[in-house]
Amino acid sequence: MKSNVKWQYNETVQVGTDYQDTSNVQAYDEQMAKFRDFKKESTDIINAICLEREHSLLEIGTGTGNFAIEAARYCNNVYAIDVSSTMIAYAKQKAQAMGISNVAFIQAGFLSYEHNGPSLDMIVSNLALHHLPDFWKMIALKRIYQLLKNGGTFYLGDVIFSFPIEEYNHKIDNWIDTMKEKMGINFAKEAEMHIKDEFSTFDWVIEEMLHKSGFKFDIRHKDDFFAVYYCKKN
Ligand SMILES: C[S@@+](CC[C@H](N)C(=O)[O-])C[C@H]1O[C@@H](n2cnc3c(N)ncnc32)[C@H](O)[C@@H]1O
C-alpha cells in the first residue's frame, strides 16, 4: 500500500483504549484472563479453520498474543501483528516465557503489513477490525484477501451490531449495564468508550464489505453485539 500519500489513515494512532500504554496492556491481559477462557476460545478457532502444522497463519491485532501462542502449538509458521509496539513487546515476552519460538511478532497493522514469502493459508482477526473507520475496514479486507492464497481462510470475530436500529438506545444501555453486573465497572467503562470512540458498525455493512472483497462466507455466530465470519477466498 502507498504510505506516502497525505490522506493515508494513520492506524498507529490509538482510538478508544490506548494500547500503547503499558499499564493498559497489563490490565487488558489480566481482565481478559478473568472473563475469557483463552485456551478454549483459541482451540475452537483452530478447529474451525482446520489449522495444520504446515499451514502459514497470520493473526492481525494479536494484542497480548494469547491466540497466536496457542496456534503456534499446532502450526509451524505463525505471524502475529499489532500496531501497538507495547502489545507486541508484551506478547513476545509472554511467548518466550512459555517456550514458544515459532511466532514472528511484528509491529504492523491491517493497512501497513507487507508479507514477505508465499501467500498465506490462514488469517485470523479477533476484536480488532473495529479500530478502523468503515472506508479503511474495506481497504483492510481487500488487503487480507490479497494476502491469502486461493482456497485460503479468513476468520473474523468482532464487536458488530445486529440489533434493530430503532432500539439502539435501549440495546446499548442494556449491554453496558450487563457488563457492569457481570464484569465490573472497568469493563462497563470500556464498553462506553467502545461505543463512543471506536468504529464498530452494522452486520450488513461488514457482510457487504466481505462480499465486495471477494470472500464467500458463513456466519458462525451472531448476537446483538458480536459476530463471527468464516470466510474463504475462491
Ligand atoms: C481489543 S484488542 C484485541 C486483542 C486480541 N485480538 C484479543 O482478542 O484479545 C485490539 C487490538 O487491536 C490492535 N489494533 C488496533 N488497530 C489496529 C490496526 N489497524 N491493525 C492491527 N491491530 C490493531 C490494538 O493495538 C489491540 O492490541
Side-chain angles (χ1 to χ4, degrees):
M1 164 173 272
K2 277 160 99 182
S3 57
N4 56 349
V5 285
K6 288 199 176 121
W7 44 262
Q8 172 65 42
Y9 187 73
N10 183 356
E11 62 180 343
T12 62
V13 173
Q14 297 283 309
V15 289
T17 307
D18 180 3
Y19 293 117
Q20 266 305 118
D21 182 310
T22 310
S23 56
N24 283 345
V25 167
Q26 177 95 37
Y28 179 82
D29 206 31
E30 285 168 9
Q31 275 203 334
M32 289 290 146
K34 277 194 212 152
F35 300 106
R36 286 167 69 182
D37 180 346
F38 283 127
K39 180 94 181 165
K40 179 173 182 324
E41 214 178 270
S42 304
T43 43
D44 284 352
I45 298 174
I46 287 162
N47 291 335
I49 62 177
C50 301
L51 186 63
E52 291 175 12
R53 182 131 317 269
E54 70 281 4
H55 282 155
S56 51
L57 166 78
L58 167 68
E59 188 194 8
I60 308 182
T62 190
T64 55
N66 294 297
F67 172 73
I69 290 170
E70 194 55 32
R73 301 184 199 281
Y74 295 78
C75 159
N76 293 337
N77 305 306
V78 181
Y79 305 86
I81 66 168
D82 200 289
V83 284
S84 158
S85 54
T86 314
M87 280 294 197
I88 287 295
Y90 187 96
K92 209 184 246 180
Q93 206 170 31
K94 188 190 264 193
Q96 268 165 9
M98 294 169 96
I100 298 288
S101 56
N102 56 323
V103 183
F105 287 102
I106 300 159
Q107 187 199 357
F110 286 105
L111 304 176
S112 52
Y113 179 67
E114 299 290 347
H115 187 69
N116 296 319
S119 311
L120 294 153
D121 294 293
M122 307 277 166
I123 301 182
V124 169
S125 184
N126 215 5
L127 296 172
L129 189 65
H130 68 266
H131 285 273
L132 293 177
D134 281 1
F135 173 76
W136 295 102
K137 285 190 188 80
M138 183 68 214
I139 304 296
L141 291 172
K142 282 195 74 65
R143 296 190 87 237
I144 287 169
Y145 190 84
Q146 280 158 7
L147 285 169
L148 282 170
K149 62 173 62 156
N150 286 341
T153 301
F154 171 45
Y155 180 100
L156 172 66
D158 206 357
V159 177
I160 291 169
F161 305 142
S162 303
F163 48 77
I165 193 58
E166 303 73 31
E167 297 175 30
Y168 81 95
N169 268 314
H170 159 77
K171 288 283 185 183
I172 291 172
D173 281 346
N174 267 359
W175 187 57
I176 293 169
D177 287 348
T178 310
M179 295 269 181
K180 195 167 169 184
E181 264 166 46
K182 292 195 174 156
M183 298 164 163
I185 187 72
N186 289 342
F187 251 101
K189 284 191 177 147
E190 292 267 328
E192 269 171 17
M193 194 194 296
H194 187 111
I195 301 290
K196 190 162 72 71
D197 298 331
E198 301 181 18
F199 301 109
S200 276
T201 189
F202 300 106
D203 53 347
W204 48 269
V205 174
I206 294 290
E207 288 162 22
E208 189 60 14
M209 285 185 185
L210 288 170
H211 275 304
K212 288 218 156 42
S213 307
F215 284 112
K216 299 266 179 287
F217 62 89
D218 324 322
I219 303 167
R220 289 289 165 100
H221 173 89
K222 198 191 272 192
D223 62 32
D224 283 346
F225 285 88
F226 188 68
V228 172
Y229 298 97
Y230 174 85
C231 314
K232 277 284 189 194
K233 175 166 177 172
N234 298 343

